[in-house]
Amino acid sequence: MNIILLGSPGSGKGTQAEALTKRLGVPCVSTGNMLREAIRRGAPLGASAKGYIDAGQLVPDSLIVDLIRERLKEPDCAEGFILDGFPRTLAQAEALDAIGVAIDAALSLEVPDEDIENRMAGRRSCKTCGNAYHVESKPPKTEGVCDACGGALFRREDDNPETVRARLTVYHENTEPLKGYYEGRDKLIAVPARDDIAKITARCLEALGIEA
């Protein structure tokens, strides 16, 4: 089963991608992770992408699509995959269709903007190991201290209220139209995503016709 995860920043796409990957036994294909890995390996596509990143520019759609195409040819994607972070625009969705990638379902995690702002304001990350926490739903044992390594926790700049609102605006303008794109192809499945992680995962599986 080939799945796309849609949703605003902070809607839980990464968390649900991880849960669905374990349950379905298919890989999560994250464009961010792929770019970092391609750069680390010194792959030609990675070198090209690094040039744009170092210059503070967006990586062109053509390079991202080439990365996706090459990744989906690998053996672990033969039985399916979950796309997280791609496509982000209608142009990317059309490019995905153009290279012949068949999508079975586009799961859209639905969370109101107000909830997103509150949720992201409570996120904390460890400066040392990168472990993630939340002051309400996943607090550390000791406030401000990472359970795993004892490093200091901080709120990322991306999670500041002003930044979150700006990111939501970009999402509504550029990415939310994908819902209509996949709805028109009978692929869109809206999943309410305001509950705890396990309940949302169960809803995703039910939407895909899989027993939780």
Side-chain angles (χ1 to χ4, degrees):
M1 185 174 286
N2 302 337
I3 301 166
I4 290 173
L5 278 180
L6 300 174
S8 56
S11 61
K13 296 188 297 298
T15 300
Q16 291 307 315
E18 182 180 353
L20 292 173
T21 292
K22 291 178 181 177
R23 177 64 178 81
L24 302 179
V26 298
C28 172
V29 176
S30 163
T31 51
N33 290 343
M34 287 195 317
L35 280 171
R36 286 187 287 273
E37 177 61 15
I39 291 170
R40 187 192 66 79
R41 290 189 291 107
L45 283 174
S48 298
K50 189 175 186 299
Y52 289 97
I53 294 169
D54 289 347
Q57 300 173 357
L58 291 176
V59 178
D61 284 353
S62 58
L63 274 179
I64 298 292
V65 171
D66 284 345
L67 272 173
I68 290 285
R69 177 167 47 198
E70 292 305 309
R71 176 67 181 90
L72 298 184
K73 290 179 181 177
E74 295 182 19
D76 63 336
C77 291
E79 300 299 323
F81 52 82
I82 298 169
L83 284 178
D84 175 20
F86 185 90
R88 289 184 183 273
T89 64
L90 288 174
Q92 290 181 353
E94 290 166 352
L96 195 63
D97 287 343
I99 63 174
V101 176
I103 298 298
D104 296 302
L107 295 180
S108 177
L109 303 182
E110 302 292 327
V111 183
D113 284 2
E114 182 179 352
D115 284 20
I116 292 291
E117 290 185 34
N118 292 334
R119 182 182 294 184
M120 294 179 77
R123 296 202 302 192
R124 300 291 184 270
S125 299
C126 176
K127 289 185 178 181
T128 304
C129 71
N131 273 0
Y133 298 87
H134 192 280
V135 295
E136 294 180 358
S137 61
K138 188 185 175 185
K141 295 175 182 176
T142 303
E143 184 177 352
V145 179
C146 176
D147 295 346
C149 73
L153 302 183
F154 74 108
R155 184 167 70 182
R156 299 184 312 176
E157 187 174 339
D158 279 358
D159 291 337
N160 289 332
E162 298 80 8
T163 307
V164 170
R165 284 191 284 271
R167 293 174 67 192
L168 286 170
T169 297
V170 170
Y171 165 77
H172 291 308
E173 291 177 353
N174 297 325
T175 305
E176 195 165 36
L178 288 172
K179 291 163 63 175
Y181 183 86
Y182 287 109
E183 184 175 31
R185 288 156 176 73
D186 295 321
K187 304 295 184 184
L188 184 73
I189 305 173
V191 178
R194 299 178 71 182
D195 289 309
D196 62 64
I197 293 170
K199 287 182 180 179
I200 298 167
T201 302
R203 285 189 194 130
C204 289
L205 292 170
E206 182 181 1
L208 295 170
I210 298 168
E211 186 176 345

